[in-house]
């Protein structure tokens, strides 16, 4: 493995911020705190520009030149991509940064899909959302998932050499929720409720495999997945259907739709992953450097 050791990371958003926070936490260098704050603030501003909520004084190429210093390894680099929003506007995203973690140097390399970059053996280490692992490689069984460690037990080694090492604790939950006015006194929307339930369950189409893996096929016997209509808010769709699974932090907007927030089913969390086929001493040093007292990554059952 080369030095610095390349590590695949997301290019933007909450997962990238979680990675930078972990890097800053395990290192004793104040520069990494400044790196984390600087990259996060820059990308939040660029997101606002892309959404049209902020007007930039300069064009994207001028801002890109201002942000990036490719001649200095210790400074972050950025790049331009086409965003998925209408009109496909240019968006400035994270590209790379070199960080010193004591006895090992790491090069964080931005990728649109870090998990898939590990699957194709481009990287030995990387960070990405645990959701993608469940959506792509976790096996479907009768019983649901219990915690992060169960993910590896469900991965068929024939499918991939990638394994989850730990979660970073930047948790947003896939949560079961249903109409408040249909809930009996003392009743909770949880796995036990779902085990006796027959009917429609509203979810986002992209999460069908994830929800099936987390709940298990036994609990979904007699349950039919239905989806929000075009341009319909997910909470509104769940209120229309009566029961659903939605990604939420506090559930405040769900309550505005008359929904009772039930059990947290699975944490949508950024995870550190490794490709077991690409392991060597330098990879082990990076893993040791990234260790700290882990947050509670338990999937609440």
């Amino acid at each position: 493995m080369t030095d610095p050791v390349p590590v695949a990371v997301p290019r933007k958003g909450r997962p990238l911020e979680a990675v930078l926070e972990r890097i800053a936490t395990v290192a004793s260098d104040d520069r990494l705190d400044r790196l984390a704050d600087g990259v996060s603030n820059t990308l939040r501003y660029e997101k606002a520009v892309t959404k049209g909520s902020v007007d930039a004084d300069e064009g994207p190429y001028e801002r890109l030149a201002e942000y990036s210093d490719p001649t200095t390894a210790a400074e972050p680099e950025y790049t331009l991509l086409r965003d998925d929003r209408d009109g496909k506007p240019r968006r400035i995203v994270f590209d790379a940064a070199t960080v010193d973690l004591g006895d090992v140097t790491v090069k964080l390399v931005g990728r649109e899909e870090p998990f898939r970059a590990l699957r194709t053996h481009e990287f030995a280490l990387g960070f990405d959302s645990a959701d993608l692992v469940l959506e792509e490689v976790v096996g479907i069984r009768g019983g649901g998932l219990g915690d992060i460690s169960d993910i590896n037990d469900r991965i068929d080694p024939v499918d991939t050499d990638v394994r989850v090492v730990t979660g970073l604790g930047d948790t947003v939950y896939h949560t079961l929720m249903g109409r408040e006015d249909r809930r009996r006194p003392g009743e909770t929307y949880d796995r036990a409720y779902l085990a006796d339930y027959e009917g429609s369950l509203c979810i986002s189409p992209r999460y069908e495999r994830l929800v099936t893996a987390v709940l298990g096929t036994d609990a979904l016997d007699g349950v039919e997945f239905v989806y929000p209509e075009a341009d319909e808010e997910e909470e509104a769709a769940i209120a229309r259907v009566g029961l659903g699974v939605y990604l939420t932090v506090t559930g405040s907007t769900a309550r505005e739709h008359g929904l009772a927030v039930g059990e947290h089913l699975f944490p949508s969390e950024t995870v550190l992953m490794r490709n077991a086929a690409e392991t060597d001493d330098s990879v082990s040093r990076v893993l040791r450097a990234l260790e700290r007292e882990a947050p509670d990554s338990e999937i609440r059952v």
Side-chain angles (χ1 to χ4, degrees):
M1 187 66 61
T2 59
D3 189 13
V5 180
V7 177
V9 301
R11 289 195 181 276
K12 59 184 183 297
R14 176 175 60 89
L16 175 60
E17 292 188 12
V19 173
L20 295 173
E21 289 171 5
R22 170 59 68 93
I23 294 292
T25 298
V26 301
S28 57
D29 187 349
D30 290 342
R31 186 189 74 83
L32 298 185
D33 286 315
R34 295 193 296 272
L35 173 72
D37 290 342
V39 171
S40 297
N41 290 336
T42 296
L43 295 184
R44 288 173 188 171
Y45 171 76
E46 288 300 325
K47 178 181 180 180
V49 171
T50 304
K51 291 174 64 177
S53 54
V54 172
D55 292 325
D57 294 332
E58 298 178 309
Y61 292 102
E62 289 78 14
R63 300 197 307 277
L64 182 64
E66 178 183 348
Y67 298 150
S68 294
D69 184 5
T71 63
T72 305
E75 295 301 318
E77 298 176 52
Y78 299 85
T79 191
L80 275 170
L81 294 179
R82 289 288 182 179
D83 196 75
D84 291 333
R85 290 179 172 81
D86 291 344
K88 304 298 181 185
R90 296 181 182 90
R91 180 170 178 175
I92 292 177
V93 295
F94 177 78
D95 188 51
T98 302
V99 298
D100 186 358
L101 297 180
D103 67 343
V104 64
T105 302
V106 170
K107 184 165 188 176
L108 305 176
V109 182
R111 283 290 183 268
E112 282 299 288
E113 298 174 330
F115 172 56
R116 290 173 183 165
L118 266 71
R119 291 192 71 186
T120 56
H121 299 263
E122 295 177 55
F123 293 82
L125 294 170
F127 295 87
D128 211 337
S129 171
D131 288 4
L132 295 177
V133 184
L134 269 71
E135 289 166 13
E136 295 196 11
V137 298
V138 164
I140 304 298
R141 298 180 185 175
L145 287 167
D147 56 37
I148 288 290
S149 63
D150 287 347
I151 293 178
N152 288 339
D153 294 336
R154 296 284 186 94
I155 295 176
D156 187 339
V158 174
D159 288 339
T160 181
D161 294 311
V162 179
R163 298 294 182 271
V164 173
V165 177
T166 188
L168 301 192
D170 58 321
T171 307
V172 180
Y173 285 99
H174 295 280
T175 302
L176 186 65
M177 56 184 67
R179 287 177 60 124
E180 181 71 61
D181 58 6
R182 296 185 186 176
R183 187 175 61 162
R184 298 187 184 94
E187 192 171 55
T188 301
Y189 291 122
D190 56 15
R191 291 176 189 255
Y193 175 90
L194 197 60
D196 297 326
Y197 174 79
E198 292 187 357
S200 298
L201 183 69
C202 185
I203 63 171
S204 170
R206 64 165 292 191
Y207 290 132
E208 182 170 330
R209 194 178 191 282
L210 182 152
V211 171
T212 303
V214 169
L215 293 174
T217 56
D218 291 347
L220 293 173
D221 185 29
V223 174
E224 177 189 8
F225 288 144
V226 296
Y227 313 107
E229 297 175 355
D231 300 324
E232 184 180 24
E233 292 184 1
E234 289 186 54
E235 297 105 316
I238 293 172
R240 171 174 54 81
V241 172
L243 188 70
V245 177
Y246 180 63
L247 193 64
T248 184
V249 180
T250 64
S252 59
T253 57
R255 295 184 182 93
E256 293 173 2
H257 287 82
L259 296 172
V261 177
E263 182 179 348
H264 294 317
L265 299 173
F266 184 80
S268 177
E269 185 174 351
T270 306
V271 292
L272 170 62
M273 299 170 292
R274 67 186 300 177
N275 187 311
E278 303 293 337
T279 299
D280 61 17
D281 289 342
S282 61
V283 170
S284 297
R285 290 200 304 274
V286 174
L287 289 172
R288 287 194 298 270
L290 291 172
E291 286 179 355
R292 68 176 178 87
E293 185 175 350
D296 181 9
S297 293
E298 181 184 1
I299 301 173
R300 303 179 186 182
V301 178

